[in-house]
Amino acid sequence: RLGSRGLGGFTGLLVGSTAVGLVAHARCPVVVVRGRMPDDPPPAAGPVVAGLDGSADSDDALGFACAEAASRQVVLLVVHTWNEQWRVDGSVRGADRVPGEVAAVECGRVEDQLAPWREKFPQLRIEVRAGPGRPVRTLLEVGEGAQLVVVGSRGRGGFDGMLLGSTSQALLVHSACPVAVVRPGSRP
């Protein structure tokens, strides 16, 4: 765990370069502790929020989030969004969009991914917020009332395992609460 205080020219807007660098290169989960403003303490109440994209990589983040929520004895709120312009198979959707069908498939994927974690943490209350939208915007909104947001990172740069994905990067910079970034294969 580390603080987020940046000393650059845009106080409150940029997370410290040490924090970003460590998260980008760490081989273990990293929690960047922050509050709404640079000198604010992190929130002590609210759920643990986990961003879930349905990938195997997000399963590591989900496991971390379950353990954190269980140890804090709070609700785990799983957030999953999708773009209604894309088909479940990744192709572009045209006039044949069927939002209800997409929602049913996406929600089913979330429940399938949650099933083993519900078994492993039977005492943990897990709620799901799933719907069309943008991951960053939704996680920032939900994170307003959270004590921790947990995401995976699948950086898409040329050096595999060294760069942050856009969602984790945006959350580190703009979140009102601590952010845990769990890199693929780094589940404790």
Side-chain angles (χ1 to χ4, degrees):
R1 296 179 197 251
L2 64 144
S4 66
R5 186 176 195 132
L7 298 176
F10 301 101
T11 305
L13 181 62
L14 297 178
V15 69
S17 59
T18 301
V20 170
L22 181 61
V23 172
H25 296 280
R27 295 178 189 245
C28 63
V30 176
V31 179
V32 176
V33 179
R34 56 177 299 138
R36 183 175 304 282
M37 298 300 289
D39 293 326
D40 290 350
V48 168
V49 173
L52 188 67
D53 68 4
S55 71
D57 291 340
S58 70
D59 208 45
D60 290 336
L62 183 55
F64 183 89
C66 285
E68 283 293 317
S71 72
R72 297 166 190 243
Q73 299 180 340
V74 297
V75 170
L76 173 61
L77 177 56
V78 174
V79 174
H80 176 69
T81 64
W82 60 86
N83 182 333
E84 284 193 320
Q85 294 180 0
W86 297 93
R87 295 179 190 270
V88 175
D89 67 4
S91 62
V92 177
R93 187 180 293 282
D96 61 339
R97 282 184 14 187
V98 183
E101 175 187 310
V102 173
V105 170
E106 292 291 337
C107 290
R109 288 176 57 207
V110 169
E111 287 304 323
D112 289 347
Q113 193 166 7
L114 282 174
W117 297 105
R118 289 186 193 275
E119 271 186 43
K120 186 172 181 178
F121 293 90
Q123 77 289 0
L124 180 60
R125 193 169 108 213
I126 300 175
E127 297 177 1
V128 177
R129 177 175 171 179
R134 296 180 179 211
V136 172
R137 182 175 292 158
T138 305
L139 287 166
L140 286 171
E141 176 185 300
V142 174
E144 288 284 327
Q147 60 179 286
L148 176 66
V149 174
V150 181
V151 292
S153 180
R154 298 181 294 156
R156 297 285 189 212
F159 299 99
D160 187 35
M162 291 182 66
L163 301 175
L164 290 177
S166 60
T167 299
S168 55
Q169 178 78 34
L171 289 168
L172 288 172
V173 173
H174 298 291
S175 179
C177 69
V179 176
V181 179
V182 182
R183 311 251 328 140
S186 68
R187 186 175 359 164

